[in-house]
Every structure is written in C-alpha cells, then in structure tokens.
Amino acid sequence: MPGKGNEEREFIPEWRRRIEEKKRIVQEFMENLDDDTLFRAALLFMLGNDDAAVMKEMKLDEFALKSIKDRLETGLRLAGIETRK
C-alpha cells in the first residue's frame, strides 16, 4: 500500500517524533565518534552511571572527566542536542 507509512506517521504525537529524532541524532553522533575514550564515557553515561562510577571504571581524575564531558557536550550541541549541566 503506497502512502501507508505517511498515514501512520500522522497519528504519531509530536512529542514522540521529537524523541525519535533526538535518538537518531545521538545514535549518529555515537557512530561517528572516532575517540574510544569519548565513546566509552558516553556509553557509560547513557547506561546511567554517575561521574564517580565513570571515573572509577575508566580510571580518570576529575580534570580528565571534565575534559571528556566538555568534548561530549560540545559535540552533542553541534549535532543539535541540548545537554544538562
């Protein structure tokens, strides 16, 4: 049935479309990370780890973690995702 996807899309709430778009952007951002340290930190944060757990898991000090978080924040903002401080 041609056009069926468009009809179904009309019934998707706007808030759900925004969430799906953000998920797509973050997934693309993660796929394009070429730094394993950034990728690993981002993944740990996405899994719900706090700063202390990420520092322990990756053996980082506070300065190194701040640097990683700043780089991730900048990349996400450039990709169109708002981040929390």
Side-chain angles (χ1 to χ4, degrees):
M1 290 181 164
K4 184 178 181 197
N6 290 335
E7 291 173 13
E8 290 176 4
R9 184 153 173 83
E10 289 178 21
F11 296 109
I12 299 173
E14 186 60 33
W15 62 268
R16 183 71 174 157
R17 288 183 203 169
R18 286 192 307 267
I19 289 172
E20 292 300 322
E21 178 63 12
K22 287 179 182 181
K23 285 169 64 175
R24 185 195 64 74
I25 291 170
V26 170
Q27 181 177 11
E28 187 175 300
F29 173 77
M30 292 291 289
E31 288 173 354
N32 290 320
L33 278 178
D34 56 357
D35 183 321
D36 290 340
T37 303
L38 290 178
F39 182 87
R40 188 168 175 215
L43 183 60
L44 289 170
F45 283 122
M46 288 171 54
L47 293 173
N49 291 285
D50 63 8
D51 287 2
V54 173
M55 286 192 301
K56 182 177 179 181
E57 175 71 26
M58 296 182 66
K59 298 173 179 56
L60 301 171
D61 61 23
E62 289 181 24
F63 178 78
L65 182 67
K66 178 161 179 10
S67 175
I68 288 169
K69 288 177 73 173
D70 288 346
R71 291 175 62 196
L72 289 171
E73 179 184 14
T74 300
L76 286 168
R77 284 183 183 260
L78 290 173
I81 299 294
E82 282 190 43
T83 59
R84 291 180 267 180
K85 284 279 182 177

